[in-house]
């Protein structure tokens, strides 16, 4: 897995070097050619010529750094260094023409002079990758993101993808604990990568503090992505940390509709369109539908023990004639022998029913509020005051 992550990192470095920096080599810049013809010699102009030559070689080599540099590029780099010793790109060119031991030393000298040179940072990332030094890789990415406004669109998705490798979790935690300016964009990219979301949840738990600014994260999206990808345990554990530990006796969250849901579908997920919908208002779940319309109004993912359970639903009035409203419970897990769904039709102000989950083999269920108004009626407005689910002793 580590090798795969390193390959992804290499891919980014290569893309940056061959795609972004090669543009300078393709464009015929006459200014350095003119500057080097003047006296005294302009070291920075020679540096530009040496750099452009290397960029062209990288582009021609499918984005990979060459094992050696062309003599003309090396000559430009030497002249640049002799005229202006603080020319990081010239030092980088000289480094690539040196022995392996000297190459790394010179590249670090170039990096110390400037952290804005993509050629230098790209090589540093690749070098860190060959040594499997994940903290160094992420540190160089951090540098790249802080010094280049155009790097984020390329760097952030690959960093998010690298989180699919569990070896990256702790190094990411160390880096993100410093609250880098690109952190919110990183979290915005992580939840759309299924392979990374479980490690992302672990990383999020490592970074959690009671006084944190939650707007810096994408917790709602991450919880929803975990559920959508059947990572129910990870979603449940993250939710309990973010929302506070639930009381042991309560299997259903916010059963009396006392507050707006924050982390659906671990809390109530409400649905509505132009014909029907659900809303939490005044301590009740309001269900509204026009004539002959309806569907899924609300749902919540619940973890049920292997036990006899009782579900209790209380509304402010009996269900209107011709309308059908029910509580449906169905296994959310993908199982070969999943238990059959249960549908409990609501008729009176109070509906109670016992159900068994003793030998179902399923732990996570969707508890759904569904309904439809009568075809020839006026629609309905129903207020459900509570939905509770409790283990029977």
């Amino acid at each position: 897995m580590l090798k795969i992550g390193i390959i992804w990192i290499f891919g980014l470095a290569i893309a940056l070097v061959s795609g972004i920096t090669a543009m300078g080599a393709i464009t015929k810049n006459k200014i350095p050619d003119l500057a080097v013809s003047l006296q005294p010699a302009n070291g920075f102009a020679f540096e530009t010529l040496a750099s452009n030559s290397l960029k062209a070689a990288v582009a021609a080599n499918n984005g990979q750094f060459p094992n050696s540099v062309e003599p003309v590029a090396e000559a430009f780099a030497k002249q640049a260094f002799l005229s202006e010793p603080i020319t990081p790109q010239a030092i980088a060119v000289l480094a690539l023409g040196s022995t392996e031991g000297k190459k790394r030393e010179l590249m670090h000298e170039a990096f110390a002079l400037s952290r804005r040179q993509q050629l230098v940072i790209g090589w540093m990332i690749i070098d860190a990758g060959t040594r499997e030094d994940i903290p160094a890789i992420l540190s160089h990415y951090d540098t790249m993101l802080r010094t280049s406004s155009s790097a984020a669109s390329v760097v952030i998705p690959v960093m998010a993808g690298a989180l699919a490798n569990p070896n990256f979790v702790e190094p990411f935690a160390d880096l993100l604990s410093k609250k880098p300016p690109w952190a919110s964009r990183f979290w915005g990219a992580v939840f759309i990568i299924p392979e990374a979301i479980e490690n992302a949840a672990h990383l999020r738990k490592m970074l959690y503090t009671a006084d944190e600014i939650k707007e810096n994260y994408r917790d709602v999206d991450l919880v929803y992505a975990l559920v959508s990808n059947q990572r129910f345990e990870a979603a449940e554990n993250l939710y309990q940390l973010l929302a506070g530990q639930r009381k042991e006796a309560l299997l259903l969250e916010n059963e009396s509709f006392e507050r707006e849901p924050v982390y659906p579908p671990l809390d109530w997920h409400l649905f509505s369109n132009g014909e029907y919908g659900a809303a939490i208002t005044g301590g009740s779940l309001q269900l509204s539908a026009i004539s002959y319309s309806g569907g899924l109004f609300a749902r919540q993912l619940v973890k049920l023990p292997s036990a006899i359970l009782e579900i209790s639903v209380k509304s402010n009035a009996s269900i209107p004639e011709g309308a059908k409203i029910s509580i449906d419970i169905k296994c959310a897990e993908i199982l070969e022998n999943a238990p059959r769904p249960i549908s409990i039709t609501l008729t009176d102000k109070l509906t109670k029913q016992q159900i068994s989950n003793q030998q179902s083999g399923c732990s996570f269920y969707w508890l759904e509020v569904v309904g439809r108004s009568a075809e020839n009626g006026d629609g309905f407005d129903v207020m459900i005051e509570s939905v509770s689910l409790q283990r029977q002793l």
Side-chain angles (χ1 to χ4, degrees), residues 15-30:
L16 284 171
V17 174
S18 63
I20 298 174
T21 62
M23 291 297 295
I26 296 170
T27 304
K28 301 300 183 181
N29 189 341
K30 297 298 183 182

Side-chain angles (χ1 to χ4, degrees), residues 39 61 65 97 111 142 156 239 241 250 255 312 333 347 382:
Q39 294 298 326
N61 198 31
F65 284 98
F111 184 69
D142 179 41
I156 292 293
Y239 174 77
L241 175 68
L250 294 180
E255 61 181 22
S312 176
E333 300 172 34
T347 54
V382 173

Side-chain angles (χ1 to χ4, degrees), residues 38 47 102 133 145 160 173 218 247 267 284 322 326 348 381:
L38 302 176
E47 178 190 36
K102 192 69 173 175
D133 188 343
L145 289 166
R218 297 287 292 273
K247 296 178 182 178
D267 200 339
S284 296
S326 65
D348 300 319
D381 286 292

